[in-house]
Amino acid sequence: MRADRLISILMLLQQEGKKTAAELADRLEVSERTIYRDMDALSLSGIPVYADPGAGGGFSLPPNYKSPIGGLTTPEIQALFLYAAEGSLDQLGIGSALRSALLKLMQALPEQSRKDAYWIQQRIHIDPDSWQQEEKALPHFAAVQDSIMKLCEVQISYRNRAGLEKSLIVKPYGLVAKAGIWFLVGEGDQGAQAYRLSRIQDVKVTEGKFERPESFDLQAFWKEWVIRYEARTITNS
């Protein structure tokens, strides 16, 4: 996630001093091209990042520079941009991080990080309105979440409400929690759909990459999907 990565770059430069693009790319497991784009974003947001060319060069911050977000950790940055809903935070692994982050909300974030908050909100949406009791542990949750962040297609074995199992390829767009009931939202063979995670019998993250449509709005999709689902439920009752 880009906001998380920008924070990590600032922390590395502030705590360890000058770093080359290659060193940062290796530490953050991204390409050097990505690091250069991140540096441009930091500069545009007002962070005084200096680039020294040539041998012995690299990126650095002024000696007395203090980041306004210096106290935030990686899990806390992720937690800041998610909607809080009791029962879902522990599944995401951010419950304690959110409580810690709330103590630091008075500290300002760079403008680019605020923009990246929207990026995260478009990929994880938590709907607190309840349908039924919270579900049991979801063994494939981590793999699905990872595929969303890395834009990798997944091959899932999915069991529908009638108990029929089907194998299909899905482009994962995001996760939605409906009062503790998790859904994978993605594009399958019938367009964008919501797949209940507890009905996913197996997940294989493939090497196939995809481009997430810029026009896709996770919250808007979910709102429309809930309306259709509830209409079907009333019709079939």
Side-chain angles (χ1 to χ4, degrees):
M1 285 173 282
R2 195 182 191 198
D4 189 12
R5 194 172 62 246
L6 293 177
I7 301 303
S8 297
I9 290 174
L10 280 178
M11 296 302 98
L12 286 171
L13 295 181
Q14 188 169 314
Q15 295 172 11
E16 301 181 13
K18 183 183 295 184
K19 296 287 182 184
T20 66
E23 289 173 331
L24 290 170
D26 182 64
R27 292 285 289 274
L28 301 175
E29 298 182 346
V30 295
S31 68
E32 290 186 39
R33 179 178 296 181
T34 296
I35 294 297
Y36 284 116
R37 287 199 298 265
D38 288 346
M39 290 303 177
D40 288 340
L42 288 171
S43 296
L44 288 173
S45 67
I47 305 298
V49 179
Y50 294 101
D52 296 323
F59 295 101
S60 61
L61 293 167
N64 298 323
Y65 176 78
K66 295 296 182 182
S67 170
I69 38 80
L72 291 177
T73 65
T74 294
E76 291 169 352
I77 289 295
Q78 295 175 2
L80 280 172
F81 305 124
L82 298 174
Y83 294 116
E86 186 176 356
S88 298
L89 296 178
D90 289 337
Q91 288 172 303
L92 281 171
I94 62 170
S96 60
L98 180 58
R99 288 186 288 273
S100 176
L102 289 175
L103 299 177
K104 302 173 182 178
L105 279 175
M106 295 304 293
Q107 301 184 47
L109 289 171
E111 181 181 356
Q112 183 61 48
S113 293
R114 291 194 297 272
K115 292 180 180 178
D116 286 337
Y118 178 76
W119 189 95
I120 296 175
Q121 288 175 332
Q122 284 297 307
R123 283 156 178 79
I124 300 180
H125 170 58
I126 298 176
D127 180 347
D129 296 328
S130 179
W131 274 333
Q132 61 186 65
Q133 296 297 317
E134 184 176 344
E135 292 186 301
K136 59 184 179 181
L138 304 170
H140 306 301
F141 186 93
V144 170
Q145 187 178 27
D146 187 55
S147 69
I148 291 169
M149 300 308 174
K150 294 181 179 179
L151 297 176
C152 291
E153 294 181 346
V154 292
Q155 181 177 355
I156 66 173
S157 178
Y158 189 74
R159 182 174 295 164
N160 63 20
R161 296 177 66 183
L164 300 177
E165 196 165 320
K166 178 182 180 181
S167 178
L168 64 158
I169 299 294
V170 176
K171 298 175 182 178
Y173 291 164
L175 285 167
V176 174
K178 180 71 170 175
I181 302 175
W182 283 94
F183 293 82
L184 164 63
V185 174
E187 183 179 347
D189 55 1
Q190 297 182 2
Q193 300 288 335
Y195 304 91
R196 189 162 170 167
L197 257 65
S198 62
R199 292 186 182 141
I200 295 179
Q201 306 303 302
D202 189 45
V203 174
K204 179 181 179 183
V205 181
T206 74
E207 296 181 357
K209 295 284 189 175
F210 67 93
E211 290 291 331
R212 190 178 189 273
E214 294 184 4
S215 61
F216 184 80
D217 186 295
L218 182 62
Q219 286 85 359
F221 168 84
W222 180 251
K223 184 177 180 179
E224 294 175 0
W225 188 88
V226 168
I227 292 173
R228 294 197 303 269
Y229 176 87
E230 292 178 343
R232 291 197 304 268
T233 301
I234 293 173
T235 301
N236 295 331
S237 62

